[in-house]
Structure formats: C-alpha cells, structure tokens
Amino acid sequence: MKNWKKVALAAATVLSVATLAACASSNGSASKSSNPNAKATLSFWWWGTQQRNDATQKQIDNFHKSNSNITVQGRPTGFGNLDQVFATQYAGGTSADIMSLLYNWVPMYGQNGGFYDLNKVPGLDLKDNYSASFLKFGQVDGKQVAVPYGENVMVLWVNKTVYEKFGVDVSKLHTWQDYINAAKKFPAGYYPICSPTWNFMPAIYLQQVTNEQEFDAKGNLNWSESDIEKAVSWYYGLVKDKVVVPASDYIANVGSNPVDLSNNKMELDGNYAGGVGWNAGLQSDHDALAAKGDDMVIVPYPVADGAKNANILSKPSLLLAIKKNETNVAQAGKYLNDFLNGTEANKILGTTRGVPASKSAVKALQDSGQLSGFAKSAYEAGLNVSTMNETPFFEDATLTTIWTNNAQAVELGKMSVQTAAQNIYTQTKAQAAKLAVQYKLK
C-alpha cells in the first residue's frame, strides 16, 4: 500500500514534469500500425497479489494462443509506493504500452494528451460494454484517456465466527448503537471494527448527515469546520466505546500508515474482527480468514442517526490506459479489448481485481459460476446501496495525512477535538484548492 509521506512529495514534484512530458508528445507524433495482426511486442504494467499476477499471466498466455504475432510482456509490481513507481516511469518515458492506473492519476497525468485517446483505438469495444456515465471516470478534456475497470464501493465486513464466539448475532447489527452494544461483549484486546484509513468512516458519516460529498465538482470543500468537528467527535466516541481499534493499538501492532491487513496477525487471530474497505479489494481478506476456518461476511453499513441515505463512498477500482506515444495502437487495442471484454480472458482473470464493470466480462463470470460466494456478496453490496462518487483527489496522500495525524493526536490525548477539527478544515481546504488547479477542476 502507499507510504503517504513519501507519496505526497512525489506527487508534488512529478506533476510539472509529467505535464511537460505530455505536452512534448501527442497522439500523432509517431508512425502507428493500423493492422491488429501485425507483429508487435507490448508491455503491460499492473500491481497486485501473487494470485492476481498468476491469473493475469495465464490470460496473457491464452491471448498468445490466437495472436501469435503479438507478444505481451507482463510487468507486475507489488502495492508499495505505487505513486512513486508510476511517476518515475512516466517522467522517464519508460511507461508500459498498457498500464493500470489509480483514479487520481487520470486527471493528474491525462492532461494535454498525457495518455492515448481510447476513442481512436480500433477494436476496443467500450460503448457496448459500459454506460456513458461510468466511462466519464476515465475522461479528461473530452478524451477517453482511460477505461475504468470496475466500481469500488466502501463496505463494512465482519468476522462472523469471532462475533458469534463472543455471543453477537451479526444478523441483528443495523445501527451504530448495535455495534456499541456488541463491543461490550468483546474481551480486552478485541475490537469489532478496524479502519486502517482514518478518514473513511468520518467521511461516510458526514456524507450521510450533510447529504453532500466532501468536495464538489470544482474541488471545493463542502463541509464546514463545525461539520468536521461533529465527525471527529463521533468517531472518537466509537473509539472510547471500543467499537473501533484505537490508534495506540493500531500503531503498536501494525504501524502508523494504512496497509493491507489480510496477512496481519491481528486480523487473522480475530483481534480486529471486522473493518471497512473497498469491496473490490476484500477477496484476499476473505480467503485468508477462510483458510483458517473463519467466516467473513458483508453486513449493511449503518446509517447515522437523523440521516436518510447511506451515501457510501464510491470510485473506480482501477483504470486501464495506453501510453500517449504508442506505435502499435491496433495491437494494443486488441489485447486491451480481450483483457476487458474477452469471454475466456475473464474466465481466467476471475475476480482477482474485483468484479469488472464490462457487461461481457460479468456474463463470462456468471456463465462460469465465478460470480458466487463472497465475490458475489461483495459485488451486490455495492449495487444495492446509495453511493456518492468521490473526486479524483479524495485519496490524495496529503489529505489522508491531514486526517490521520489529527485523528491520531486526539486519540493519543495530544490534541482536543476542536483543535483537530480546525486543523483538518483549514489544511484540507488549502490542499484541495491546490489540487483543484493541478487537476484542472477549475
């Protein structure tokens, strides 16, 4: 996962370089092959677990069987320092022909022809497989610079085995008061919920009570300092009621940064018996717990008192793009279309990246029986709840650090709720103003 402090520096220093690089190249800067069957060697960059790596390589091998003139070379990487790795490749001109993207990279690097316009790529079937509104996640300046792979919706999950061990019926958990009552049955050192990223739960709380997302379409902060104070106080209340893992425990057992907990002892041993996370990325948590005999289930996310809608966080799970100066355009389009929409390809890929949005891919998963069990419940949890789409910079490293540092300070007794709220409001507003300009939202 991300090292937030290092990422903040990388994003700030690389943006101008990336913009200049984008300006220096255009979609018409090199001779391009229009023959999808012409001989070509392509590279494909992605990140993920070994399970994802293995499935992707099998999909590439399967593509080779019917496309012997096209060689696709996989360039997988882990989750660490993604922003820095991508920024270095992009600025240095060593980006892969086809690449995976985080949501915030689309406007940051997609300006001024920063990625190839996918509307000009032959053989890439987007209109028949995706809704126009969903494709907008990958558009910059009217160009389709990337295609969103799937939708990521924040969900709440629990380790049913642990909850029942302590006498809690998970089917009766509907409100935050229910979780407060449940926490009273947990022994010392065990907590119903862990939120590795501190701002997720307060953000959902405020989206529910204000009926507004954190930032508007122009990148302006929608919430007042008073709103933020209420959210910090609400979250701190859950910490004091031992519903949520306190900062002191998390720092002692995990560290100070948000990380993947699927292989962490605290989650595997049931001390952290539930959590909030993006539905497309929870399969590894489920599989790890299932391997030791525990039952991980998705439960309804509680709606705050007085609120009418769940208003859950939503964003693209990841996006795919073709580099800006690609010369083997038709061949790249042919491979990308197979990856996104191919029947056999998606039977192989399965749900290693979550459930894809492509209609053809979903049908392939359904027909092969892979859209079942936990993958199906996580997917349907995102479909059956009201959501709010987040701005591309919602998970900006600096914004995350602002929430994390101040929330931790409150929990550790180093700062009052009022001071934390003032800091979060002032610092978030200033950082959002900078990002809005960088991302061309204004």
Side-chain angles (χ1 to χ4, degrees):
M1 299 298 285
K2 301 177 182 177
N3 184 316
W4 297 108
K5 294 180 181 178
K6 291 182 180 179
V7 170
L9 293 173
T13 57
V14 172
L15 179 63
S16 59
V17 177
T19 303
L20 289 173
C23 291
S25 178
S26 69
N27 290 348
S29 62
S31 175
K32 300 175 179 61
S33 171
S34 59
N35 180 5
N37 298 315
K39 188 176 181 62
T41 297
L42 304 170
S43 54
F44 177 29
W45 182 78
W46 74 87
W47 63 85
T49 62
Q50 190 59 48
Q51 181 186 33
R52 180 182 294 181
N53 296 345
D54 293 343
T56 307
Q57 187 57 55
K58 288 179 182 178
Q59 181 268 331
I60 291 173
D61 294 341
N62 182 71
F63 177 82
H64 288 159
K65 291 179 182 179
S66 54
N67 297 276
S68 57
N69 286 339
I70 302 175
T71 300
V72 179
Q73 299 174 340
R75 284 170 47 179
T77 188
F79 288 105
N81 297 328
L82 286 178
D83 292 78
Q84 288 181 303
V85 173
F86 182 83
T88 300
Q89 292 179 353
Y90 190 95
T94 59
S95 297
D97 298 281
I98 302 159
M99 63 196 89
S100 300
L101 304 178
L102 292 174
Y103 183 27
N104 63 307
W105 297 347
V106 175
M108 181 177 288
Y109 297 95
Q111 304 170 27
N112 306 309
F115 299 117
Y116 204 92
D117 186 353
L118 298 181
N119 286 326
K120 297 181 180 180
V121 177
L124 186 56
D125 185 7
L126 299 182
K127 291 183 179 180
D128 291 337
N129 279 291
Y130 303 89
S131 68
S133 60
F134 189 67
L135 287 174
K136 287 183 179 179
F137 279 122
Q139 294 174 4
V140 176
D141 297 332
K143 297 180 180 179
Q144 192 72 49
V145 300
V147 55
Y149 182 79
E151 184 178 18
N152 232 347
V153 177
M154 190 65 59
V155 297
L156 178 60
W157 64 268
V158 300
N159 185 329
K160 184 179 178 182
T161 305
V162 173
Y163 272 66
E164 291 183 342
K165 176 182 177 181
F166 299 142
V168 178
D169 183 350
V170 299
S171 68
K172 295 182 179 179
L173 295 172
H174 304 292
T175 68
W176 287 117
Q177 186 59 51
D178 292 334
Y179 283 89
I180 292 173
N181 295 337
K184 295 175 182 177
K185 298 182 179 181
F186 278 54
Y190 288 81
Y191 302 92
I193 298 172
C194 178
S195 181
T197 305
W198 270 263
N199 61 319
F200 283 167
M201 290 178 66
I204 296 174
Y205 170 82
L206 284 180
Q207 288 192 166
Q208 292 177 351
V209 299
T210 68
N211 206 37
E212 290 185 310
Q213 60 202 89
E214 187 170 9
F215 306 100
D216 64 18
K218 296 294 184 180
N220 300 305
L221 180 62
N222 280 325
W223 302 333
S224 67
E225 183 178 326
S226 176
D227 291 331
I228 294 173
E229 183 176 333
K230 291 177 183 176
V232 175
S233 179
W234 168 81
Y235 183 82
Y236 186 43
L238 292 180
V239 173
K240 289 189 292 185
D241 286 325
K242 299 183 179 180
V243 173
V244 178
V245 175
S248 57
D249 192 285
Y250 186 90
I251 292 171
N253 291 292
V254 181
S256 58
N257 291 319
V259 297
D260 175 16
L261 294 177
S262 62
N263 292 312
N264 185 274
K265 183 176 185 295
M266 300 304 285
E267 181 172 300
L268 292 175
D269 289 350
N271 298 80
Y272 299 171
V276 292
W278 298 108
N279 66 338
L282 291 176
Q283 189 67 48
S284 58
D285 296 82
H286 172 271
D287 292 348
L289 290 172
K292 64 184 295 292
D294 286 2
D295 186 12
M296 173 179 170
V297 297
I298 304 294
V299 291
Y301 198 102
V303 176
D305 293 342
K308 296 181 179 180
N309 300 308
N311 292 348
I312 303 299
L313 302 172
S314 174
K315 66 169 186 174
S317 55
L318 56 88
L319 301 95
L320 283 300
I322 294 176
K323 71 178 183 181
K324 63 195 174 195
N325 56 351
E326 180 59 49
T327 55
N328 298 306
V329 177
Q331 298 95 319
K334 189 172 187 179
Y335 172 73
L336 184 55
N337 191 69
D338 184 66
F339 180 88
L340 293 171
N341 305 316
T343 298
E344 191 60 31
N346 279 280
K347 288 180 181 179
I348 295 171
L349 292 170
T351 57
T352 54
R353 288 173 173 79
V355 179
S358 163
K359 295 176 183 177
S360 297
V362 170
K363 185 177 187 303
L365 293 178
Q366 291 173 331
D367 291 346
S368 61
Q370 294 190 69
L371 194 52
S372 60
F374 181 80
K376 182 180 180 181
S377 64
Y379 173 62
E380 291 179 344
L383 294 178
N384 299 326
V385 68
S386 60
T387 61
M388 285 187 168
N389 295 333
E390 302 309 318
T391 182
F393 62 68
F394 173 74
E395 293 182 278
D396 170 72
T398 299
L399 292 177
T400 300
T401 300
I402 290 169
W403 274 93
T404 300
N405 289 348
N406 286 283
Q408 286 182 351
V410 171
E411 292 187 46
L412 297 174
K414 298 179 179 180
M415 187 181 294
S416 69
V417 170
Q418 293 76 16
T419 300
Q422 183 181 45
N423 290 345
I424 292 172
Y425 174 77
T426 304
Q427 295 169 16
T428 297
K429 193 172 183 178
Q431 177 65 4
K434 295 178 183 178
L435 294 171
V437 174
Q438 292 177 354
Y439 284 42
K440 295 183 68 175
L441 299 180
K442 294 184 176 179

